[in-house]
Amino acid sequence: MDVIRWCFFFFLLLQTFFFSPSHTQTDSFTSILISQNGLDFVKNLLVNKAIASIIPLQIPRIEKSVRIPFLGGIDVVVSNLTIYELDVASSYVNLGETGVVIVASGTTCNLSMNWHYSYATWLPPMEISDQGIASVQVEGMEIGLSLGLLSSEGGLKLSLSECGCHVKDISIELEGGASWFYQGMVNAFKDQIGASVETTISNKLTEGVSDLDSFLQSLPKEIPVDDKAALNVTFTSDPILRDSSITFEIDGLFTKTETNQVLKSSSFRKSAAPSAICPGNSKMLGISLDEAVFNSAAALYYNAEFMQWVVDKIPDQALLNTARWRFIIPQLYRKYPNQDMNLNISLSSPPLVKISEQYVGANVNADLVINVLEADQVIPVACISLVIRGSGALRVMGNNLGGSVRLEDFSMSLEWSNIGNLHLHLLQTASSSIPSCSQ
């Protein structure tokens, strides 16, 4: 059922998410928690979309023979019995140790049907018949589902533990023919019509759960990010069910797209301080990402030689000319006067991300090679090793994600030079004056 598949994605893509260090099990680096508000939102959406997808719902025809004094046996047929309207007064979702329970109560539905009867007389020998239409109203109907949700081979397996539908009351109003005369006769079909409604709705729900299980089994185990990386989204354990929330544990690390090879989980250590996901009373969804997720991405792109940049255009283009550096690096200007430059920046190791409840930190080691552009030649003149340590904080403001970034430490050391020694302390002083920024 398309509506059920669509609703499943809302479990994973509701409004607002928070980042915090993960506290999950050994092979899980990302947790997704759906709060009671999120469950109610999805439940309401699911109920409304499910109703729209099953209406109109056809009920099998019913045939019955009744005996009426002075007339004898009469054959009555109810056909084209169709539910054309369904209204749910209230519904709720509960979580237990073994699964999810969804109950819709106070449900009413309206049906239309054709009725026909016939009987034969022996004096004179002839067949008498009549037919018409009728409207049926079902009131006080309760529908319940009990679902089991387990992890299976990296995916989710949905099972139907119980499914039931109970009809409390039915009223039938006939139209056409001598309907006033046969009203009591057709009322004898109440129990059969009620049982048929219960069976048909239960079968439709069972079919929908089976379709959803097939869909969950077919979900991809990784999500492509680009031509180099994909995100491993295999489920590592059974969902964790609590009184008012459900938590999904997934691997969450980055994989190599070209070889479909997952970076070994043992290469990344989980953050030491555990922290529960607390999306707040008004939030629907909370997401917890361990720092290993970011470090796996950093290691993957570093190994793919993706973290290399050539800087040849900047807002103040005059900075990429030796004349602008004649007082800080005078020997560079004397050897290559008024020559354009570019900067070749490459990371010497994968960035290391650290996450705590207060901030996000990163350590970056990089090599900066100064190149002079002379005619059609690129001449490397010096290489400076950089060690950068920064921190930042993330915060959610309404529907926007904001934060701040601060440079905590910045150091330089000369790896090699073709123009003699460099006064790195001058560069160090200028770079250390970079202010923190926020957004």
Side-chain angles (χ1 to χ4, degrees):
M1 296 173 64
D2 290 339
V3 60
I4 298 180
R5 299 181 185 184
W6 187 71
C7 288
F8 175 78
F9 285 105
F10 271 79
F11 273 121
L12 306 180
L13 298 173
L14 296 175
Q15 284 184 337
T16 309
F17 57 86
F18 292 157
F19 294 101
S20 65
S22 177
H23 65 290
T24 58
Q25 299 177 2
T26 304
D27 294 325
S28 173
F29 297 92
T30 300
S31 300
I32 300 173
L33 179 145
I34 303 171
S35 68
Q36 186 65 53
N37 279 347
L39 292 171
D40 290 337
F41 176 86
V42 175
K43 177 263 301 176
N44 292 334
L45 184 66
L46 179 60
V47 168
N48 293 333
K49 293 295 184 179
I51 290 174
S53 67
I54 66 175
I55 298 300
L57 181 60
Q58 197 76 27
I59 308 295
R61 62 182 282 155
I62 302 172
E63 299 181 8
K64 188 174 184 179
S65 295
V66 297
R67 294 192 64 81
I68 297 181
F70 307 110
L71 295 180
I74 297 180
D75 297 323
V76 184
V77 176
V78 173
S79 61
N80 199 25
L81 188 61
T82 306
I83 299 176
Y84 64 88
E85 185 178 6
L86 189 66
D87 180 65
V88 176
S90 64
S91 60
Y92 64 87
V93 55
N94 280 344
L95 300 175
E97 293 182 359
T98 58
V100 181
V101 176
I102 302 175
V103 176
S105 58
T107 304
T108 61
C109 65
N110 295 317
L111 302 87
S112 62
M113 72 177 193
N114 298 333
W115 60 271
H116 175 270
Y117 85 91
S118 64
Y119 69 93
T121 63
W122 58 275
L123 187 65
M126 62 180 298
E127 183 178 86
I128 299 176
S129 65
D130 199 357
Q131 63 183 6
I133 60 175
S135 58
V136 182
Q137 186 174 45
V138 177
E139 296 181 340
M141 184 167 60
E142 289 199 359
I143 304 171
L145 282 173
S146 179
L147 304 173
L149 193 59
L150 300 174
S151 173
S152 175
E153 298 180 354
L156 287 177
K157 181 171 181 59
L158 186 69
S159 61
L160 180 63
S161 303
E162 293 183 36
C163 177
C165 176
H166 175 69
V167 172
K168 182 178 180 181
D169 185 50
I170 290 181
S171 61
I172 304 175
E173 183 177 345
L174 273 63
E175 301 175 19
S179 56
W180 60 272
F181 184 72
Y182 305 111
Q183 181 73 52
M185 178 184 64
V186 175
N187 281 345
F189 279 81
K190 282 186 177 181
D191 290 342
Q192 285 181 277
I193 292 176
S196 295
V197 169
E198 292 172 348
T199 300
T200 302
I201 290 180
S202 296
N203 290 342
K204 195 69 175 178
L205 291 174
T206 302
E207 176 187 333
V209 172
S210 178
D211 289 344
L212 179 55
D213 177 55
S214 298
F215 169 70
L216 293 178
Q217 295 292 324
S218 67
L219 285 174
K221 301 300 188 297
E222 63 176 24
I223 299 175
V225 177
D226 53 26
D227 59 345
K228 297 182 182 296
L231 190 64
N232 184 347
V233 291
T234 55
F235 291 86
T236 59
S237 64
D238 295 338
I240 301 172
L241 304 178
R242 298 185 177 89
D243 291 340
S244 59
S245 67
I246 181 171
T247 302
F248 298 94
E249 309 278 6
I250 67 174
D251 179 279
L253 296 183
F254 284 79
T255 70
K256 297 180 180 179
T257 299
E258 64 272 13
T259 61
N260 202 30
Q261 178 184 357
V262 181
L263 294 177
K264 292 183 179 180
S265 300
S266 59
S267 301
F268 306 99
R269 299 174 59 187
K270 299 177 69 61
S271 53
S275 176
I277 309 175
C278 300
N281 294 333
S282 62
K283 307 302 179 183
M284 297 184 184
L285 186 72
I287 297 181
S288 172
L289 299 177
D290 192 273
E291 62 190 31
V293 174
F294 301 96
N295 287 326
S296 71
L300 187 148
Y301 284 105
Y302 174 80
N303 293 333
E305 299 182 351
F306 192 74
M307 295 184 175
Q308 300 178 358
W309 304 271
V310 174
V311 179
D312 55 7
K313 293 187 182 300
I314 56 175
D316 189 358
Q317 192 65 25
L319 285 172
L320 293 179
N321 189 281
T322 58
R324 194 68 174 266
W325 297 89
R326 62 185 181 274
F327 299 114
I328 299 178
I329 313 177
Q331 63 269 42
L332 173 64
Y333 177 72
R334 286 195 298 268
K335 190 171 184 178
Y336 303 102
N338 295 314
Q339 295 293 319
D340 289 332
M341 305 185 306
N342 69 28
L343 305 177
N344 191 327
I345 303 173
S346 61
L347 269 60
S348 54
S349 63
L352 179 62
V353 178
K354 290 287 185 180
I355 299 178
S356 71
E357 294 183 1
Q358 289 76 29
Y359 71 97
V360 178
N363 296 336
V364 178
N365 297 319
D367 290 331
L368 186 152
V369 177
I370 302 173
N371 295 318
V372 172
L373 308 180
E374 190 174 50
D376 56 353
Q377 289 185 315
V378 177
I379 304 173
V381 295
C383 176
I384 301 173
S385 178
L386 309 176
V387 178
I388 304 169
R389 184 167 60 87
S391 66
L394 296 175
R395 59 180 178 270
V396 176
M397 300 172 292
N399 292 327
N400 298 318
L401 181 65
S404 60
V405 178
R406 178 183 296 274
L407 181 64
E408 300 289 349
D409 188 29
F410 180 69
S411 61
M412 298 180 177
S413 61
L414 185 63
E415 290 292 312
W416 54 265
S417 172
N418 294 330
I419 55 175
N421 194 28
L422 304 182
H423 299 292
L424 294 182
H425 64 281
L426 297 177
L427 293 173
Q428 182 87 31
T429 301
S431 302
S432 298
S433 64
I434 297 176
S436 60
C437 61
S438 62
Q439 181 65 39

